[in-house]
Amino acid sequence: MTKDDHLTERQFAAAVFTALLSPMMRVLPRATAILAGKWAWLSVLPAVPVLLALAALMASLRRSMAPGEGSAQLFLRVFGRVLGRVLLAVYAAWFLFYAGFILRSGADRLTATVYPHGGPGPFVAVMLGLSLLAALGTLRAAGRTAAVFRGLLLAVLAAVFLLSVPNMEPENLLPLRLGDSRGVLAGALPIVTVGGAAGLFSFLRGYTPPAGRDAMRLLIPPLALFTAAAAALDIVTVGAFGAKLTARLSYPFFTMIRDLSVAGTAQRFEAAVIVLWVFADFTMCTLLLRCGHEALRAVFSLPGAEEGGRTLLQMKNGRWLLWAEAAAAGACALLLPSAAESFRPWMESLVPLAMDLAVFGGFPLLWLVGRLRKKL
């Protein structure tokens, strides 16, 4: 790949943070309120050391990557050509399924909150088409776009949080009963799962400059920003509604936004949060398509998407895989259960469990086997 294909570390971090807003706003603060109760707003504290340990692991793996390599190349090096290809095929399937899940959950969220008489199909089609167009372009362009998105989204979140503070009730946060403190550990699990998803994007590390000894240091600021956003999301929502009501609402943060009223700006903030949802889902799906492509091109020994062609409709050297990936993600989105009660176990149990296996199972196994075989 050429230098023009590279993302800077800042662009990569911006893309990952913007993508993580997608599961963050879907899962938090409802999941932490269900598991931790009144302690939900402190659940980020036990999540931090786990995410730091994961960051240290990913930094160690990154130091083992040669220029132009991502996690896909490490899987082949550590596990060999046969088992490595099998594991990469599993990861590719997970990337595409999760992209479909993001598309479907985002569409359901929009129909539930904004277009109650619409179906998910049109929203899935539009978002998938936009994500495919972005994935067919250079990753550097996607990174630049994400950097702009991150600035806008942080401005919106900061404004919403500041406007929400007057609506917070101290009794919703304090006092805390020590007898219920065990819940704070359970409440950390959703935050760990959402933050851990960042590890998946190590498949795209071939498009960033080598980090060397700075690998861990470069991960600290993005991790701090993520944990700060997660903590703020929990504090303002639980502080405004209380843990019990937050746990009962399907989209408590969006419901809280609807209650904001400052000189007639409530409607505009509601629209801004909807745009935030859409931008985050778009970035997540774009990166997942590219992660899937990195895994599959390693399986089939194909050039990278940006080496195979420069125009959107050019199909040579494996770029056709991106179209096939988009079709697979769209099929997954439309084949997921349509009934809310049937979809809920996927959203609350099955998908988080699969994510934890992919991140906290796959990458530690890669590191351990690599060390034992002296391949890393």
Side-chain angles (χ1 to χ4, degrees):
M1 76 188 60
T2 68
K3 186 176 180 180
D4 290 339
D5 298 330
H6 279 192
L7 297 94
T8 65
E9 193 66 31
R10 176 178 173 274
Q11 290 167 343
F12 184 83
V16 172
F17 177 79
T18 304
L20 290 184
L21 283 176
S22 176
M24 184 192 298
M25 297 189 67
R26 184 184 70 251
V27 174
L28 307 180
R30 182 174 182 269
T32 52
I34 291 173
L35 295 171
K38 201 171 182 178
W39 286 78
W41 63 282
L42 291 175
S43 293
V44 72
L45 296 179
V48 169
V50 180
L51 293 176
L52 277 172
L54 177 64
L57 177 73
M58 301 311 297
S60 177
L61 290 175
R62 187 181 180 190
R63 285 191 289 268
S64 300
M65 297 174 186
E69 285 189 340
S71 286
Q73 287 69 39
L74 291 188
F75 272 95
L76 291 180
R77 186 194 310 165
V78 169
F79 293 104
R81 307 299 292 180
V82 177
L83 181 57
R85 281 186 165 99
V86 172
L87 291 173
L88 287 176
V90 172
Y91 269 93
W94 169 241
F95 292 140
L96 301 182
F97 173 82
Y98 191 57
F101 173 77
I102 292 294
L103 291 168
R104 180 55 180 272
S105 60
D108 286 349
R109 184 171 51 193
L110 283 174
T111 55
T113 57
V114 185
Y115 302 102
H117 302 296
F123 298 102
V124 169
V126 171
M127 184 63 70
L128 182 59
L130 293 174
S131 300
L132 175 59
L133 287 176
L136 286 168
T138 65
L139 203 58
R140 185 177 181 87
R144 287 174 171 173
T145 303
V148 175
F149 284 172
R150 184 179 66 171
L152 294 173
L153 300 183
L154 286 175
V156 171
L157 286 174
V160 168
F161 292 150
L162 289 175
L163 291 174
S164 301
V165 169
N167 296 333
M168 295 171 59
E169 301 291 341
E171 58 268 22
N172 289 333
L173 302 176
L174 297 170
L176 297 172
R177 292 170 48 188
L178 290 178
D180 299 329
S181 61
R182 293 181 180 178
V184 75
L185 296 177
L189 293 177
I191 300 174
V192 167
T193 299
V194 172
L200 298 178
F201 303 123
S202 62
F203 277 76
L204 302 177
R205 275 301 183 182
Y207 295 90
T208 60
R213 295 182 178 179
D214 291 333
M216 182 61 185
R217 180 182 62 81
L218 292 172
L219 293 178
I220 298 301
L223 177 57
L225 181 60
F226 168 80
T227 53
L233 198 64
D234 277 340
I235 290 172
V236 297
T237 311
V238 174
F241 288 150
K244 291 183 178 179
L245 180 56
T246 300
R248 288 200 301 267
L249 295 171
S250 296
Y251 305 104
F253 182 67
F254 185 77
T255 303
M256 183 190 70
I257 298 303
R258 285 179 163 172
D259 293 337
L260 294 181
S261 57
V262 179
T265 62
Q267 188 63 37
R268 288 199 294 273
F269 270 104
E270 184 175 317
V273 172
I274 293 172
V275 171
L276 187 152
W277 283 349
V278 172
F279 281 175
D281 288 350
F282 163 76
T283 304
M284 174 63 87
C285 289
T286 299
L287 295 187
L288 288 171
L289 289 176
R290 290 301 297 261
C291 285
H293 190 269
E294 290 300 305
L296 289 175
R297 81 178 183 90
V299 170
F300 298 116
S301 301
L302 294 171
E306 297 169 22
E307 298 168 9
R310 291 292 179 177
T311 61
L312 292 180
L313 297 180
Q314 201 166 352
M315 297 288 187
K316 69 177 183 179
N317 295 332
R319 280 174 61 84
W320 60 270
L321 274 173
L322 285 167
W323 293 82
E325 291 168 28
C332 290
L334 297 177
L335 290 175
L336 283 165
S338 56
E341 291 304 315
S342 300
F343 186 65
R344 190 176 297 277
W346 289 88
M347 184 168 61
E348 297 182 353
S349 302
L350 298 177
V351 170
L353 176 60
M355 179 65 78
D356 288 339
L357 288 174
V359 175
F360 295 98
F363 291 119
L365 181 64
L366 173 65
W367 182 87
L368 179 60
V369 175
R371 291 294 180 178
L372 292 175
R373 298 189 64 192
K374 302 186 186 307
K375 297 291 185 179
L376 297 178

